[in-house]
Structures are given as C-alpha cells and as structure tokens.
Amino acid sequence: MSFRHLIDFGDLTRGEWDELYARSAEIVKDPAAFQEACKGKVSCNLFYEPSTRTNFSFQTAMLRLGGSVFGFADPNSSSVAKGETLKDTIKMVSGYADVIVMRNPWEGAAKAASLYSNVPVVNAGDGGHMHPTQTMADLTTITQLRGKVDGLSVGLCGDLKNGRTVHSLIKALAKFKDIKFYLIAPRELAIPDYMRSFMKENGMWSVEVTGLDPVIPQLDVLYMTRIQKERFLDPLAYERNKGIYILTRHKLERAKPDMLVMHPLPRVDEITQDVDDDPRAVYFQQARFGMFARMALLSDLANQPRMEDREMGPVEIGRHPVCTNPRCITQSEHYLPPLVRTIGGVDCCAFCDAPLASFS
Ligand code: NCD
C-alpha cells in the first residue's frame, strides 16, 4: 500500500481501499496464515479517551500478527499529566515503536501527531472529527455480508454532528457508486457544514430528515449511533436530544428483510436488547470484522521503514492558530503550523476541517 499514515479515510484512493479490503478478506478466511506478519514489530497504543472495541481490537490484531503492544489507556498514567506536549510524546514513542495508534479528544490530533512521528500514525478517533478504522470495520462488514457496497441506500441515524464514525463513513462511501444517504438527525445534531460541503463537492445523493420511521422501509443499511454526551458543550442540549431515536423490534417490522442494522458501539439506549436476536442485527459481527480489518492495516503499516528526522525535514512553527474551532488541536498545541486545505472551494483548517471563518 502506498500511504504511510491513516488519518482520514478521504485520503485513501479507492484502489488503496480495495487492496486493504482484499487483505482483510484473506485474513477473515485464514487468520492463522498471518500469524507472523508482524513478528518482532511493536505497536504503541495511546488512548487519551475511553475505548473498548478500538483499543482491544487493535491490541488483539497486533498480537494475532505475532507483534506486541505497549501504551496507555489513561493519559494520566503518563507524562501527559505533567504537561508534556503531544509533539514530545510522539517524538518519544516513535523512537520505541514501529506504528502508533492514537485516540485523542482534540479534532485534528492524529494529523498533528503525523507531522512529528518517525513511524506510521493511525487515527483511532480524533474528537468528533474522524474515525477511519471504524469505517474499515463498517465497509468490511457490508462487503462480507451484502457482497458489495455500490448502489446501497444507507440511513445514518443519531448524532451526525459529533459522531466521528459517521463523518468517516460518508468520506469512504464517496468512493463508491450510486449510494443514497438518508441523514436522520434532529436539527441540532445534523452533519457539520464541512461534511455537507464535502457531499456537495462529490455530488453525493442525500436527504436530511428528522424521523426514522418514515424512511426505514427504503434502507439497505441502518447505521445507528449514540448521542455523544461527552461532546456537548451545553448539557441542556444533551438532555433535549438523548433517547431521541430508539430502534425496537417493532420498528424493524417495516424494514427490508435483508437490511443490515449496524452500530459502531457502545450503545446506550438507541437499540433495544430484543433487536439483538434479529438476524439483521450485525453490530457484534461488525466489531469482530473490525479486528480483521485492523490486522490488514497493521500488517502493512508496522512493516514500513522508519523515517529518520533528516528524511522528514523540519516542520514550520505556528505563531497564531489560524483556526478558531474551540475543539481543534491547534487550540491546545500552539506550536502547530497553520495548515490550510480547501474543501468545496472554502479554506478550511487542515487539522480539523472547520471552515476558517466559521467560529470568528
Ligand atoms: C465509536 C467512537 O469511539 O467514536 N466507538 C467505537 O470506536 N467503536 C462510537 C461511539 O463512541 O459512540
């Protein structure tokens, strides 16, 4: 594979995804054939935020490939608690590991880490922004269970504003043909503007609705999400929106007989327990496919040669953060360079994708 870091699924080409998927499919068929693919390699897993599936599946993926893992699941157990910058932590651990897997509450943190890392960096979730390896799990699940992704009607339901899994999945589905999106969210939790611009720029078919029931019969995939309590700046807004969508067995009666019910998990109350026994509920399989997809990724990235500092060159020092998004990594790590990228003709922060003028 020709990419070095996995920060945003949008950075992959369709060909690169097809290659990754082909390897995941081989691993699903015969995991034992890959048990030495990362022999002697070491992964550093830095989890600044809680995680069950992502951290455990990355760990087990590396162990099943014959490699080993170190890191933290609580930043307070490391020098982060003493005030160490992200840059310094990354410079240190990239001297010890062959690949870094990082989850961080700041949007754009993985991109920032990639500027200073001598080894590949994988974004395991950066705030409410992106989560590309969950998308690898999602696409692997859809392809394994439905045979293809092209032509599907996909309902994304819940917190589409703060749900990073949704943003990554939309970016990925732009690489497929004839996808129809039903974006099901209360107005307060609709997809962010940068995602709307992205969909427009890519000519993607979508409708935004507030009700799940009217659209459920149209869907081939229903992707439920949790209302992301930890991302709400206003606790009252969370209270207004919690429990807003609850998928029950009764509601599923109107859905297609082969619709997939997916969820990145953890669930709170958005899918009732009685849905678990419906054959359309595939969220636990989805979590297992995630491990195989991560094995495919690590088997490539952990085997890439380390880059020495002189090969990487200096990174410009930032003087003023150009981005005013309060959740952007540039707000906490002030040395970061002011990087800009254009999305749908609009200048955006290259770390968090927020339009540069939007918060001023
Ligand atoms: C998701 C995440 O962390 O964004 N979980 C996961 O990685 N499987 C979804 C969530 O927390 O709601």
Side-chain angles (χ1 to χ4, degrees), residues 4-61:
R4 182 160 173 85
H5 306 288
L6 180 56
I7 306 301
D8 181 332
F9 204 102
D11 299 337
L12 294 187
T13 63
R14 173 66 193 268
E16 285 167 337
W17 165 249
D18 288 344
E19 248 185 271
L20 260 177
Y21 175 74
R23 188 173 303 178
S24 307
E26 275 179 56
I27 298 175
V28 168
K29 261 201 217 129
D30 185 8
F34 290 80
Q35 63 196 12
E36 300 208 333
C38 283
K39 195 170 171 202
K41 299 295 173 187
V42 181
S43 164
C44 175
N45 288 16
L46 301 177
F47 278 71
Y48 292 76
E49 273 194 332
S51 170
T52 302
R53 273 146 297 273
T54 307
N55 195 1
F56 288 167
S57 66
F58 263 115
Q59 290 188 35
T60 49

CSV table of all heavy atoms in Angstrom, one decimal, residues 4-61:
chain,number,residue,atom,x,y,z
A,4,ARG,N,1.2,6.2,4.1
A,4,ARG,CA,2.1,5.9,5.3
A,4,ARG,C,1.3,6.1,6.6
A,4,ARG,O,1.5,5.3,7.5
A,4,ARG,CB,3.2,6.9,5.3
A,4,ARG,CG,4.2,6.7,6.4
A,4,ARG,CD,5.5,7.4,6.2
A,4,ARG,NE,6.4,7.3,7.4
A,4,ARG,CZ,7.1,6.2,7.7
A,4,ARG,NH1,7.2,5.2,6.9
A,4,ARG,NH2,7.9,6.2,8.8
A,5,HIS,N,0.4,7.1,6.7
A,5,HIS,CA,-0.4,7.3,7.9
A,5,HIS,C,-1.9,7.1,7.5
A,5,HIS,O,-2.2,7.3,6.3
A,5,HIS,CB,-0.3,8.7,8.4
A,5,HIS,CG,1.1,9.1,8.7
A,5,HIS,ND1,1.9,8.6,9.7
A,5,HIS,CD2,1.9,10.0,8.0
A,5,HIS,CE1,3.1,9.2,9.7
A,5,HIS,NE2,3.1,10.0,8.6
A,6,LEU,N,-2.7,6.7,8.4
A,6,LEU,CA,-4.2,6.7,8.2
A,6,LEU,C,-4.8,7.7,9.1
A,6,LEU,O,-5.0,7.4,10.3
A,6,LEU,CB,-4.8,5.3,8.3
A,6,LEU,CG,-6.3,5.2,8.0
A,6,LEU,CD1,-6.6,5.8,6.6
A,6,LEU,CD2,-6.8,3.8,8.2
A,7,ILE,N,-5.1,8.8,8.6
A,7,ILE,CA,-5.6,9.9,9.4
A,7,ILE,C,-7.0,10.2,9.1
A,7,ILE,O,-7.9,10.4,9.9
A,7,ILE,CB,-4.8,11.3,9.1
A,7,ILE,CG1,-3.3,11.0,9.3
A,7,ILE,CG2,-5.3,12.4,10.0
A,7,ILE,CD1,-2.8,10.6,10.6
A,8,ASP,N,-7.4,10.1,7.8
A,8,ASP,CA,-8.7,10.4,7.3
A,8,ASP,C,-9.0,9.5,6.1
A,8,ASP,O,-8.1,9.4,5.2
A,8,ASP,CB,-8.7,11.9,6.8
A,8,ASP,CG,-10.0,12.4,6.3
A,8,ASP,OD1,-10.8,11.6,5.8
A,8,ASP,OD2,-10.2,13.6,6.4
A,9,PHE,N,-10.1,8.8,6.2
A,9,PHE,CA,-10.4,7.8,5.1
A,9,PHE,C,-10.4,8.5,3.7
A,9,PHE,O,-10.1,7.9,2.7
A,9,PHE,CB,-11.7,7.1,5.4
A,9,PHE,CG,-11.8,5.8,4.7
A,9,PHE,CD1,-11.6,4.6,5.5
A,9,PHE,CD2,-12.1,5.7,3.4
A,9,PHE,CE1,-11.7,3.4,4.9
A,9,PHE,CE2,-12.1,4.4,2.7
A,9,PHE,CZ,-11.9,3.3,3.5
A,10,GLY,N,-10.8,9.8,3.7
A,10,GLY,CA,-10.8,10.5,2.5
A,10,GLY,C,-9.5,10.6,1.8
A,10,GLY,O,-9.4,10.9,0.6
A,11,ASP,N,-8.4,10.4,2.5
A,11,ASP,CA,-7.1,10.5,1.9
A,11,ASP,C,-6.7,9.2,1.1
A,11,ASP,O,-5.8,9.2,0.4
A,11,ASP,CB,-6.0,10.7,3.0
A,11,ASP,CG,-6.2,12.0,3.7
A,11,ASP,OD1,-6.8,12.9,3.2
A,11,ASP,OD2,-5.7,12.1,4.9
A,12,LEU,N,-7.5,8.1,1.3
A,12,LEU,CA,-7.2,6.9,0.6
A,12,LEU,C,-7.8,6.9,-0.8
A,12,LEU,O,-8.9,7.5,-0.9
A,12,LEU,CB,-7.8,5.7,1.3
A,12,LEU,CG,-7.3,5.2,2.7
A,12,LEU,CD1,-8.0,3.9,3.1
A,12,LEU,CD2,-5.8,5.1,2.7
A,13,THR,N,-7.2,6.3,-1.7
A,13,THR,CA,-7.8,6.1,-3.0
A,13,THR,C,-8.7,4.9,-3.0
A,13,THR,O,-8.5,4.0,-2.1
A,13,THR,CB,-6.8,5.9,-4.2
A,13,THR,OG1,-6.1,4.7,-3.9
A,13,THR,CG2,-5.8,7.1,-4.2
A,14,ARG,N,-9.6,4.8,-3.9
A,14,ARG,CA,-10.4,3.6,-4.0
A,14,ARG,C,-9.6,2.3,-4.2
A,14,ARG,O,-9.8,1.3,-3.6
A,14,ARG,CB,-11.5,3.7,-5.1
A,14,ARG,CG,-12.3,2.5,-5.4
A,14,ARG,CD,-13.2,2.2,-4.3
A,14,ARG,NE,-13.8,0.9,-4.4
A,14,ARG,CZ,-14.9,0.6,-5.1
A,14,ARG,NH1,-15.7,1.5,-5.5
A,14,ARG,NH2,-15.3,-0.7,-5.2
A,15,GLY,N,-8.5,2.5,-5.0
A,15,GLY,CA,-7.6,1.3,-5.2
A,15,GLY,C,-6.9,0.9,-3.9
A,15,GLY,O,-6.8,-0.3,-3.6
A,16,GLU,N,-6.5,1.9,-3.1
A,16,GLU,CA,-5.9,1.5,-1.8
A,16,GLU,C,-6.9,0.8,-0.9
A,16,GLU,O,-6.5,-0.1,-0.2
A,16,GLU,CB,-5.3,2.8,-1.1
A,16,GLU,CG,-4.0,3.3,-1.8
A,16,GLU,CD,-3.6,4.7,-1.4
A,16,GLU,OE1,-4.5,5.5,-0.9
A,16,GLU,OE2,-2.4,5.0,-1.6
A,17,TRP,N,-8.1,1.3,-0.9
A,17,TRP,CA,-9.1,0.6,0.0
A,17,TRP,C,-9.3,-0.8,-0.6
A,17,TRP,O,-9.4,-1.8,0.2
A,17,TRP,CB,-10.5,1.3,0.0
A,17,TRP,CG,-11.5,0.4,0.6
A,17,TRP,CD1,-12.6,-0.1,-0.1
A,17,TRP,CD2,-11.5,-0.2,1.9
A,17,TRP,NE1,-13.3,-1.0,0.7
A,17,TRP,CE2,-12.7,-1.0,1.9
A,17,TRP,CE3,-10.7,-0.1,3.0
A,17,TRP,CZ2,-13.0,-1.8,3.0
A,17,TRP,CZ3,-11.1,-0.9,4.1
A,17,TRP,CH2,-12.2,-1.7,4.1
A,18,ASP,N,-9.5,-1.0,-1.9
A,18,ASP,CA,-9.7,-2.3,-2.4
A,18,ASP,C,-8.6,-3.3,-2.1
A,18,ASP,O,-8.8,-4.4,-1.7
A,18,ASP,CB,-9.8,-2.3,-4.0
A,18,ASP,CG,-11.1,-1.6,-4.4
A,18,ASP,OD1,-12.1,-1.5,-3.6
A,18,ASP,OD2,-11.3,-1.2,-5.6
A,19,GLU,N,-7.3,-2.8,-2.0
A,19,GLU,CA,-6.2,-3.6,-1.6
A,19,GLU,C,-6.3,-4.0,-0.2
A,19,GLU,O,-6.1,-5.1,0.2
A,19,GLU,CB,-4.9,-2.8,-1.8
A,19,GLU,CG,-4.0,-3.2,-2.9
A,19,GLU,CD,-2.7,-2.4,-2.8
A,19,GLU,OE1,-2.7,-1.3,-3.5
A,19,GLU,OE2,-1.8,-2.8,-2.1
A,20,LEU,N,-6.7,-3.0,0.7
A,20,LEU,CA,-6.8,-3.3,2.1
A,20,LEU,C,-7.9,-4.3,2.3
A,20,LEU,O,-7.8,-5.2,3.1
A,20,LEU,CB,-7.2,-2.0,2.8
A,20,LEU,CG,-6.1,-1.2,3.5
A,20,LEU,CD1,-6.7,0.1,4.1
A,20,LEU,CD2,-5.5,-2.0,4.7
A,21,TYR,N,-9.0,-4.1,1.6
A,21,TYR,CA,-10.2,-5.0,1.8
A,21,TYR,C,-9.8,-6.4,1.4
A,21,TYR,O,-10.1,-7.4,2.1
A,21,TYR,CB,-11.4,-4.5,1.1
A,21,TYR,CG,-12.5,-5.6,1.2
A,21,TYR,CD1,-13.1,-5.7,2.4
A,21,TYR,CD2,-12.8,-6.5,0.2
A,21,TYR,CE1,-14.0,-6.8,2.7
A,21,TYR,CE2,-13.7,-7.5,0.4
A,21,TYR,CZ,-14.3,-7.6,1.6
A,21,TYR,OH,-15.2,-8.7,1.8
A,22,ALA,N,-9.1,-6.5,0.3
A,22,ALA,CA,-8.7,-7.8,-0.2
A,22,ALA,C,-7.9,-8.5,0.8
A,22,ALA,O,-8.0,-9.7,1.1
A,22,ALA,CB,-7.9,-7.7,-1.5
A,23,ARG,N,-7.0,-7.8,1.5
A,23,ARG,CA,-6.2,-8.4,2.5
A,23,ARG,C,-7.1,-8.8,3.8
A,23,ARG,O,-6.9,-9.9,4.3
A,23,ARG,CB,-5.0,-7.5,3.0
A,23,ARG,CG,-4.1,-8.2,3.9
A,23,ARG,CD,-2.8,-7.5,4.3
A,23,ARG,NE,-2.1,-7.1,3.1
A,23,ARG,CZ,-0.9,-6.4,3.2
A,23,ARG,NH1,-0.4,-6.1,4.4
A,23,ARG,NH2,-0.2,-6.1,2.1
A,24,SER,N,-8.0,-7.9,4.1
A,24,SER,CA,-8.9,-8.2,5.3
A,24,SER,C,-9.7,-9.5,4.9
A,24,SER,O,-9.8,-10.4,5.8
A,24,SER,CB,-10.0,-7.2,5.5
A,24,SER,OG,-9.4,-5.9,5.6
A,25,ALA,N,-10.1,-9.6,3.7
A,25,ALA,CA,-10.9,-10.8,3.3
A,25,ALA,C,-10.1,-12.1,3.4
A,25,ALA,O,-10.5,-13.1,3.9
A,25,ALA,CB,-11.5,-10.6,1.9
A,26,GLU,N,-8.8,-12.0,3.0
A,26,GLU,CA,-7.9,-13.1,3.1
A,26,GLU,C,-7.7,-13.5,4.6
A,26,GLU,O,-7.7,-14.7,5.0
A,26,GLU,CB,-6.5,-12.8,2.6
A,26,GLU,CG,-6.3,-13.0,1.1
A,26,GLU,CD,-4.8,-12.5,0.8
A,26,GLU,OE1,-3.9,-13.1,1.4
A,26,GLU,OE2,-4.7,-11.6,0.0
A,27,ILE,N,-7.6,-12.5,5.5
A,27,ILE,CA,-7.4,-12.7,6.9
A,27,ILE,C,-8.6,-13.4,7.5
A,27,ILE,O,-8.6,-14.3,8.3
A,27,ILE,CB,-7.0,-11.4,7.6
A,27,ILE,CG1,-5.6,-10.9,7.1
A,27,ILE,CG2,-6.9,-11.7,9.1
A,27,ILE,CD1,-5.2,-9.6,7.6
A,28,VAL,N,-9.8,-12.9,7.1
A,28,VAL,CA,-11.1,-13.4,7.6
A,28,VAL,C,-11.1,-15.0,7.3
A,28,VAL,O,-11.5,-15.8,8.1
A,28,VAL,CB,-12.3,-12.7,7.0
A,28,VAL,CG1,-13.6,-13.5,7.3
A,28,VAL,CG2,-12.4,-11.3,7.4
A,29,LYS,N,-10.7,-15.3,6.1
A,29,LYS,CA,-10.7,-16.7,5.7
A,29,LYS,C,-9.7,-17.6,6.4
A,29,LYS,O,-10.0,-18.7,6.8
A,29,LYS,CB,-10.4,-16.8,4.2
A,29,LYS,CG,-11.6,-16.9,3.3
A,29,LYS,CD,-11.3,-17.5,2.0
A,29,LYS,CE,-12.1,-16.8,0.9
A,29,LYS,NZ,-11.4,-16.3,-0.2
A,30,ASP,N,-8.5,-17.0,6.6
A,30,ASP,CA,-7.5,-17.9,7.2
A,30,ASP,C,-6.5,-17.0,8.1
A,30,ASP,O,-5.4,-16.7,7.7
A,30,ASP,CB,-6.7,-18.5,6.0
A,30,ASP,CG,-5.6,-19.5,6.6
A,30,ASP,OD1,-5.6,-19.8,7.8
A,30,ASP,OD2,-4.8,-19.9,5.7
A,31,PRO,N,-7.0,-16.6,9.3
A,31,PRO,CA,-6.2,-15.8,10.1
A,31,PRO,C,-4.9,-16.4,10.5
A,31,PRO,O,-3.9,-15.6,10.6
A,31,PRO,CB,-7.1,-15.6,11.4
A,31,PRO,CG,-8.4,-16.2,11.1
A,31,PRO,CD,-8.3,-17.0,9.9
A,32,ALA,N,-4.8,-17.7,10.6
A,32,ALA,CA,-3.5,-18.3,11.0
A,32,ALA,C,-2.4,-18.1,10.0
A,32,ALA,O,-1.2,-18.0,10.4
A,32,ALA,CB,-3.7,-19.8,11.2
A,33,ALA,N,-2.8,-17.9,8.8
A,33,ALA,CA,-1.7,-17.6,7.7
A,33,ALA,C,-1.0,-16.3,8.0
A,33,ALA,O,0.1,-16.1,7.4
A,33,ALA,CB,-2.4,-17.6,6.3
A,34,PHE,N,-1.5,-15.5,8.8
A,34,PHE,CA,-0.9,-14.1,9.1
A,34,PHE,C,-0.2,-14.0,10.4
A,34,PHE,O,0.1,-13.0,10.9
A,34,PHE,CB,-2.0,-13.1,8.9
A,34,PHE,CG,-2.4,-12.9,7.5
A,34,PHE,CD1,-3.3,-13.8,6.9
A,34,PHE,CD2,-1.9,-11.9,6.7
A,34,PHE,CE1,-3.7,-13.7,5.6
A,34,PHE,CE2,-2.3,-11.8,5.3
A,34,PHE,CZ,-3.2,-12.6,4.8
A,35,GLN,N,0.0,-15.2,11.1
A,35,GLN,CA,0.4,-15.1,12.5
A,35,GLN,C,1.8,-14.6,12.7
A,35,GLN,O,2.2,-14.3,13.8
A,35,GLN,CB,0.1,-16.4,13.3
A,35,GLN,CG,0.8,-17.6,12.8
A,35,GLN,CD,0.2,-18.9,13.4
A,35,GLN,OE1,-0.9,-18.9,13.9
A,35,GLN,NE2,0.9,-20.0,13.2
A,36,GLU,N,2.6,-14.5,11.6
A,36,GLU,CA,3.9,-14.0,11.8
A,36,GLU,C,4.1,-12.7,11.0
A,36,GLU,O,5.2,-12.2,10.8
A,36,GLU,CB,4.9,-15.0,11.3
A,36,GLU,CG,4.8,-16.3,12.1
A,36,GLU,CD,6.1,-17.0,12.3
A,36,GLU,OE1,7.0,-16.9,11.4
A,36,GLU,OE2,6.3,-17.7,13.3
A,37,ALA,N,3.0,-12.1,10.5
A,37,ALA,CA,3.1,-10.9,9.6
A,37,ALA,C,3.7,-9.7,10.2
A,37,ALA,O,4.3,-8.9,9.6
A,37,ALA,CB,1.7,-10.6,9.0
A,38,CYS,N,3.6,-9.7,11.6
A,38,CYS,CA,4.2,-8.5,12.3
A,38,CYS,C,5.2,-9.1,13.4
A,38,CYS,O,5.4,-8.4,14.4
A,38,CYS,CB,3.2,-7.7,13.0
A,38,CYS,SG,2.3,-6.6,11.8
A,39,LYS,N,5.8,-10.2,13.1
A,39,LYS,CA,6.7,-10.8,14.1
A,39,LYS,C,7.8,-9.8,14.4
A,39,LYS,O,8.4,-9.2,13.5
A,39,LYS,CB,7.3,-12.0,13.5
A,39,LYS,CG,8.0,-12.9,14.5
A,39,LYS,CD,8.4,-14.2,13.9
A,39,LYS,CE,9.3,-14.9,14.9
A,39,LYS,NZ,10.1,-15.9,14.3
A,40,GLY,N,8.0,-9.5,15.7
A,40,GLY,CA,9.1,-8.6,16.1
A,40,GLY,C,8.7,-7.1,16.1
A,40,GLY,O,9.5,-6.3,16.4
A,41,LYS,N,7.5,-6.8,15.6
A,41,LYS,CA,7.1,-5.4,15.5
A,41,LYS,C,6.3,-5.0,16.8
A,41,LYS,O,5.7,-5.9,17.4
A,41,LYS,CB,6.1,-5.2,14.3
A,41,LYS,CG,6.8,-5.6,13.0
A,41,LYS,CD,7.9,-4.6,12.7
A,41,LYS,CE,8.7,-5.0,11.4
A,41,LYS,NZ,9.9,-4.2,11.2
A,42,VAL,N,6.4,-3.7,17.0
A,42,VAL,CA,5.8,-3.2,18.3
A,42,VAL,C,4.9,-2.1,18.0
A,42,VAL,O,5.2,-1.1,17.2
A,42,VAL,CB,6.9,-2.7,19.3
A,42,VAL,CG1,6.3,-2.2,20.6
A,42,VAL,CG2,7.9,-3.9,19.5
A,43,SER,N,3.6,-2.1,18.5
A,43,SER,CA,2.7,-1.1,18.3
A,43,SER,C,2.6,-0.3,19.6
A,43,SER,O,2.6,-0.8,20.7
A,43,SER,CB,1.3,-1.7,17.9
A,43,SER,OG,0.3,-0.7,18.1
A,44,CYS,N,2.5,1.1,19.5
A,44,CYS,CA,2.2,1.9,20.7
A,44,CYS,C,0.8,2.4,20.6
A,44,CYS,O,0.4,3.1,19.6
A,44,CYS,CB,3.2,3.1,20.7
A,44,CYS,SG,2.8,4.2,22.1
A,45,ASN,N,0.0,2.0,21.6
A,45,ASN,CA,-1.4,2.5,21.6
A,45,ASN,C,-1.6,3.6,22.6
A,45,ASN,O,-1.6,3.3,23.8
A,45,ASN,CB,-2.4,1.3,21.9
A,45,ASN,CG,-2.4,0.3,20.7
A,45,ASN,OD1,-1.6,0.3,19.8
A,45,ASN,ND2,-3.4,-0.6,20.8
A,46,LEU,N,-1.8,4.8,22.1
A,46,LEU,CA,-2.0,5.9,23.0
A,46,LEU,C,-3.5,6.3,23.0
A,46,LEU,O,-4.0,6.9,22.1
A,46,LEU,CB,-1.2,7.1,22.5
A,46,LEU,CG,0.3,7.0,22.4
A,46,LEU,CD1,0.9,8.2,21.8
A,46,LEU,CD2,0.9,6.6,23.7
A,47,PHE,N,-4.2,5.9,24.1
A,47,PHE,CA,-5.6,6.2,24.2
A,47,PHE,C,-5.9,7.3,25.2
A,47,PHE,O,-5.9,7.0,26.4
A,47,PHE,CB,-6.4,4.9,24.4
A,47,PHE,CG,-6.7,4.2,23.1
A,47,PHE,CD1,-5.6,3.6,22.5
A,47,PHE,CD2,-7.9,4.2,22.5
A,47,PHE,CE1,-5.8,2.9,21.2
A,47,PHE,CE2,-8.1,3.6,21.3
A,47,PHE,CZ,-7.1,3.0,20.7
A,48,TYR,N,-6.1,8.5,24.7
A,48,TYR,CA,-6.3,9.7,25.6
A,48,TYR,C,-7.8,9.7,26.0
A,48,TYR,O,-8.2,10.6,26.7
A,48,TYR,CB,-6.0,11.0,24.9
A,48,TYR,CG,-4.5,11.2,24.6
A,48,TYR,CD1,-3.9,10.5,23.6
A,48,TYR,CD2,-3.8,12.1,25.4
A,48,TYR,CE1,-2.5,10.8,23.3
A,48,TYR,CE2,-2.4,12.3,25.1
A,48,TYR,CZ,-1.8,11.7,24.1
A,48,TYR,OH,-0.5,11.9,23.8
A,49,GLU,N,-8.6,8.9,25.4
A,49,GLU,CA,-10.1,8.8,25.6
A,49,GLU,C,-10.5,7.4,25.8
A,49,GLU,O,-9.8,6.5,25.3
A,49,GLU,CB,-10.8,9.3,24.4
A,49,GLU,CG,-11.0,10.7,24.2
A,49,GLU,CD,-12.1,11.0,23.1
A,49,GLU,OE1,-12.2,10.2,22.2
A,49,GLU,OE2,-12.7,12.1,23.2
A,50,PRO,N,-11.6,7.1,26.5
A,50,PRO,CA,-12.1,5.8,26.8
A,50,PRO,C,-12.3,5.0,25.5
A,50,PRO,O,-12.7,5.6,24.4
A,50,PRO,CB,-13.4,5.9,27.5
A,50,PRO,CG,-13.4,7.3,28.0
A,50,PRO,CD,-12.5,8.1,27.1
A,51,SER,N,-12.1,3.7,25.6
A,51,SER,CA,-12.3,2.8,24.4
A,51,SER,C,-12.4,1.4,24.9
A,51,SER,O,-11.7,1.0,25.8
A,51,SER,CB,-11.1,2.9,23.5
A,51,SER,OG,-11.2,2.0,22.4
A,52,THR,N,-13.3,0.6,24.2
A,52,THR,CA,-13.3,-0.8,24.5
A,52,THR,C,-12.9,-1.5,23.2
A,52,THR,O,-11.8,-2.1,23.1
A,52,THR,CB,-14.7,-1.3,24.9
A,52,THR,OG1,-15.1,-0.6,26.1
A,52,THR,CG2,-14.7,-2.8,25.2
A,53,ARG,N,-13.7,-1.4,22.2
A,53,ARG,CA,-13.5,-2.1,20.9
A,53,ARG,C,-12.2,-1.7,20.2
A,53,ARG,O,-11.5,-2.5,19.7
A,53,ARG,CB,-14.7,-1.9,19.9
A,53,ARG,CG,-15.8,-2.9,20.1
A,53,ARG,CD,-17.1,-2.2,19.8
A,53,ARG,NE,-17.3,-1.2,20.7
A,53,ARG,CZ,-17.9,-1.4,21.9
A,53,ARG,NH1,-18.4,-2.5,22.2
A,53,ARG,NH2,-18.0,-0.4,22.8
A,54,THR,N,-12.1,-0.4,20.0
A,54,THR,CA,-11.0,0.1,19.2
A,54,THR,C,-9.6,-0.3,19.8
A,54,THR,O,-8.8,-0.9,19.1
A,54,THR,CB,-11.1,1.6,18.9
A,54,THR,OG1,-12.4,1.9,18.5
A,54,THR,CG2,-10.1,2.1,17.9
A,55,ASN,N,-9.5,0.0,21.1
A,55,ASN,CA,-8.2,-0.3,21.7
A,55,ASN,C,-8.0,-1.9,21.7
A,55,ASN,O,-6.9,-2.4,21.3
A,55,ASN,CB,-8.2,0.3,23.1
A,55,ASN,CG,-6.7,0.3,23.7
A,55,ASN,OD1,-5.8,-0.1,23.0
A,55,ASN,ND2,-6.6,0.8,24.9
A,56,PHE,N,-9.0,-2.6,22.2
A,56,PHE,CA,-8.8,-4.1,22.3
A,56,PHE,C,-8.6,-4.7,20.9
A,56,PHE,O,-7.9,-5.6,20.8
A,56,PHE,CB,-10.0,-4.7,23.0
A,56,PHE,CG,-10.1,-4.4,24.5
A,56,PHE,CD1,-11.3,-4.7,25.2
A,56,PHE,CD2,-9.0,-3.9,25.2
A,56,PHE,CE1,-11.3,-4.5,26.6
A,56,PHE,CE2,-9.1,-3.6,26.5
A,56,PHE,CZ,-10.3,-3.9,27.2
A,57,SER,N,-9.4,-4.2,19.9
A,57,SER,CA,-9.2,-4.9,18.6
A,57,SER,C,-7.9,-4.5,18.0
A,57,SER,O,-7.3,-5.4,17.3
A,57,SER,CB,-10.4,-4.6,17.7
A,57,SER,OG,-10.4,-3.2,17.4
A,58,PHE,N,-7.4,-3.3,18.2
A,58,PHE,CA,-6.0,-3.0,17.8
A,58,PHE,C,-5.0,-3.9,18.5
A,58,PHE,O,-4.0,-4.4,17.9
A,58,PHE,CB,-5.7,-1.5,17.9
A,58,PHE,CG,-5.9,-0.7,16.7
A,58,PHE,CD1,-6.9,0.2,16.6
A,58,PHE,CD2,-5.1,-1.0,15.5
A,58,PHE,CE1,-7.1,1.0,15.4
A,58,PHE,CE2,-5.3,-0.2,14.4
A,58,PHE,CZ,-6.3,0.7,14.3
A,59,GLN,N,-5.2,-4.1,19.8
A,59,GLN,CA,-4.2,-4.9,20.6
A,59,GLN,C,-4.3,-6.3,20.1
A,59,GLN,O,-3.2,-6.9,19.8
A,59,GLN,CB,-4.6,-4.8,22.1
A,59,GLN,CG,-4.3,-3.5,22.7
A,59,GLN,CD,-4.4,-3.6,24.2
A,59,GLN,OE1,-4.1,-4.6,24.8
A,59,GLN,NE2,-4.9,-2.5,24.8
A,60,THR,N,-5.5,-6.9,20.0
A,60,THR,CA,-5.6,-8.3,19.6
A,60,THR,C,-5.1,-8.5,18.2
A,60,THR,O,-4.5,-9.5,17.8
A,60,THR,CB,-7.0,-8.9,19.8
A,60,THR,OG1,-7.9,-7.9,19.2
A,60,THR,CG2,-7.3,-9.0,21.3
A,61,ALA,N,-5.4,-7.5,17.3
A,61,ALA,CA,-4.9,-7.6,15.9
A,61,ALA,C,-3.4,-7.7,15.9
A,61,ALA,O,-2.8,-8.6,15.2
A,61,ALA,CB,-5.3,-6.3,15.1
